[in-house]
Amino acid sequence: MAEHHSGPAEVGASMDYAEHEKTYKGFLWAAKFGTMAIVVLLIAMTVGFFTGAGVFFSLLLFIVLTLAGFFLI
């Protein structure tokens, strides 16, 4: 049978809510801009591979869409 203890199993330090919020905002920033960068990369690769645009236009498109994404998000 399971043992029953009275009282808390562990008494740790109190939560640092300011650090928690800072970490959460950093995670959201990384997830948002990481997703945007992957989508922009896939769009630029699609344009470069499946159209006659070429590599240089695809690179230019990647740079333009990345900058636009940073300003719009």
Side-chain angles (χ1 to χ4, degrees):
M1 290 275 186
E3 297 179 21
H4 296 283
H5 299 286
S6 62
E10 179 180 322
V11 179
S14 61
M15 285 285 292
D16 185 3
Y17 289 103
E19 188 66 28
H20 173 77
E21 288 292 325
K22 183 177 154 187
T23 302
Y24 183 67
K25 287 180 182 180
F27 171 77
L28 287 180
W29 184 89
K32 183 173 28 175
F33 286 108
T35 303
M36 186 233 15
I38 290 171
V39 169
V40 166
L41 178 64
L42 289 174
I43 291 170
M45 287 173 63
T46 302
V47 168
F49 290 144
F50 297 116
T51 66
V55 175
F56 293 113
F57 179 76
S58 179
L59 179 63
L60 180 65
L61 179 66
F62 175 76
I63 293 169
V64 169
L65 288 178
T66 302
L67 292 175
F70 275 112
F71 287 116
L72 292 176
I73 291 181

